[in-house]
Amino acid sequence: MTHPDTATKPAADVSAMFDEVSPRYDLINDVLTVGNDRLWRIATTRALAPRKGMRILDLAAGTGTSSAALAAHGAEVVAADFSEGMLAEGRRRHAGNALIDFVWADATALPFADDSFDAATISYGLRNVSDPRAALAEMRRVVKPGGRVVIAEFSTPPSPIVRGPYALYGRHVLPRVAGAINRDAAAAYRYLNESIEAWPAQDELAAWLREAGFERVAYRNLTFGIVALHRGFVPRQAPAVAEQPAAATKKPAAAKKPAATKKPAAAKTPAAAKKSAGAKPATGGKTAPTRPAEATQAAAARKPAAAKQPAAKKKPAAAKKPAARKPADAAAEAAAARESNGETE
């Protein structure tokens, strides 16, 4: 079996390693953790809070042990892994569980649509991904707004009293015990210990979650910090109806002052009207004497429109005195009258 490099972690090498240890993988974990892996699984399940109707993505699901714990609460679980050997073992063990669907998937390029899960989790597998930050970004993409992501991962015990003995156990005891259970597992668990030692501490992984866009990021240590349980939430998106269009920020047309507040043309002063009426004609010459009737009309025109009396109050036309005629006009009319009576000059 090819020993994977903890720096590059080629997916093909890691996948082949897990393929070989898949038949006894869960047994080895129970022995090496002295049963603590069961307690860690319970803590992870509680952090996810699965319930009927939820759709949960379980990455690095392996043989589906963690997926079965989630499905026991009624959730529909997609158990994804990049080891075909692990998936085959999981399908065999949980063949009768309709709530678990085993799917091959690369954690850095998940074959799922955006916002297609209510929650996502990965247990002791993030450190085996070639690009953990890309995996976190993919988990955020496929989880719905408001959904949570829970990560259980081996970590660095904060106390040196625990950290020293734990490092010795991982380097010397863990590979030997694993090899005794499964001959091919010794090299695999040597790599797993190396990947644990190279893995960042709790605070750094929490920073990765924030960089990926998760909010309310937190973690708590399990078993003196040998394992850390990390949590983050996908931010909720603001509803589209809450966004007001740019045009709505403008004042409505009704808020403008009405045109009626402006002074009407009739409110102009009589002097302005006189100035307009008294303008000289274009010829620049003197005007002919105005007949009395015309003079009356011109005077009326000079008055402002508001000063005019209603038409009903005007004197009838018959009551007005006839306009004075010129002498020439009077003589012409007299001659016409005499001619009609047969008179001649």
Side-chain angles (χ1 to χ4, degrees):
M1 180 184 66
T2 303
H3 186 86
D5 183 359
T6 55
T8 58
K9 293 178 285 189
D13 293 346
V14 176
S15 176
M17 178 189 71
F18 280 105
D19 288 346
E20 294 187 16
V21 301
S22 57
R24 293 192 175 185
Y25 178 74
D26 293 316
L27 174 61
I28 294 172
N29 286 339
D30 280 342
V31 173
L32 293 177
T33 64
V34 197
N36 278 291
D37 62 324
R38 297 175 183 268
L39 300 176
W40 300 336
R41 190 177 306 118
I42 292 172
T44 304
T45 302
R46 288 178 178 174
L48 278 165
R51 61 184 182 275
K52 187 176 181 180
M54 285 184 67
R55 189 166 186 253
I56 301 176
L57 173 62
D58 186 12
L59 279 174
T63 59
T65 304
S66 57
S67 301
L70 299 173
H73 293 267
E76 297 179 9
V77 185
V78 174
D81 203 288
F82 66 163
S83 167
E84 288 288 0
M86 288 285 192
L87 292 173
E89 184 66 20
R91 292 188 186 101
R92 185 186 65 79
R93 293 185 185 182
H94 307 285
N97 196 333
L99 292 175
I100 304 177
D101 183 21
F102 287 89
V103 177
W104 185 94
D106 180 354
T108 62
L110 295 174
F112 309 113
D114 296 356
D115 306 337
S116 54
F117 294 94
D118 298 296
T121 183
I122 183 170
S123 297
Y124 322 109
L126 187 61
R127 74 183 190 282
N128 295 321
V129 177
S130 59
D131 189 349
R133 288 183 176 88
L136 292 175
E138 280 292 273
M139 293 173 77
R140 183 190 184 282
R141 179 184 66 80
V142 301
V143 173
K144 298 175 183 177
R148 72 186 66 190
V149 166
V150 175
I151 300 169
E153 189 54 85
F154 289 106
S155 195
T156 304
S159 173
I161 299 176
V162 177
R163 193 164 55 242
Y166 175 64
L168 291 174
Y169 173 80
R171 293 172 188 171
H172 305 291
V173 179
L174 188 146
R176 288 183 172 87
V177 174
I181 299 172
N182 185 342
R183 186 179 58 184
D184 295 327
Y189 278 82
R190 230 184 336 263
Y191 159 78
L192 291 177
N193 179 69
E194 292 170 2
S195 66
I196 292 171
E197 291 184 350
W199 189 244
Q202 292 89 319
D203 290 338
E204 187 173 351
L205 179 54
W208 287 4
L209 282 164
R210 294 187 186 95
E211 291 171 5
F214 292 100
E215 63 181 12
R216 290 183 284 164
V217 174
Y219 70 86
R220 64 188 180 99
N221 291 322
L222 304 177
T223 316
F224 308 107
I226 292 174
V227 167
L229 193 63
H230 291 259
R231 180 205 69 189
F233 289 83
V234 177
R236 292 184 181 276
Q237 297 175 352
V241 292
E243 298 179 1
Q244 295 182 354
T249 58
K250 297 181 180 179
K251 292 183 178 180
K256 295 181 180 179
K257 292 183 178 180
T261 56
K262 297 181 180 179
K263 291 183 178 181
K268 292 183 180 179
T269 58
K274 287 181 180 180
K275 184 177 179 181
S276 176
K280 293 182 179 180
T283 57
K286 295 182 179 180
T287 57
T290 309
R291 295 180 183 178
E294 294 174 353
T296 304
Q297 294 175 358
R302 286 196 294 271
K303 294 181 181 180
K308 289 182 181 180
Q309 296 181 355
K313 293 183 179 180
K314 290 183 179 179
K315 292 181 179 181
K320 292 183 180 179
K321 292 182 181 181
R325 298 187 183 91
K326 291 184 180 180
D329 293 339
E333 288 178 4
R338 284 195 299 272
E339 184 175 358
S340 62
N341 293 327
E343 298 178 358
T344 59
E345 293 183 352

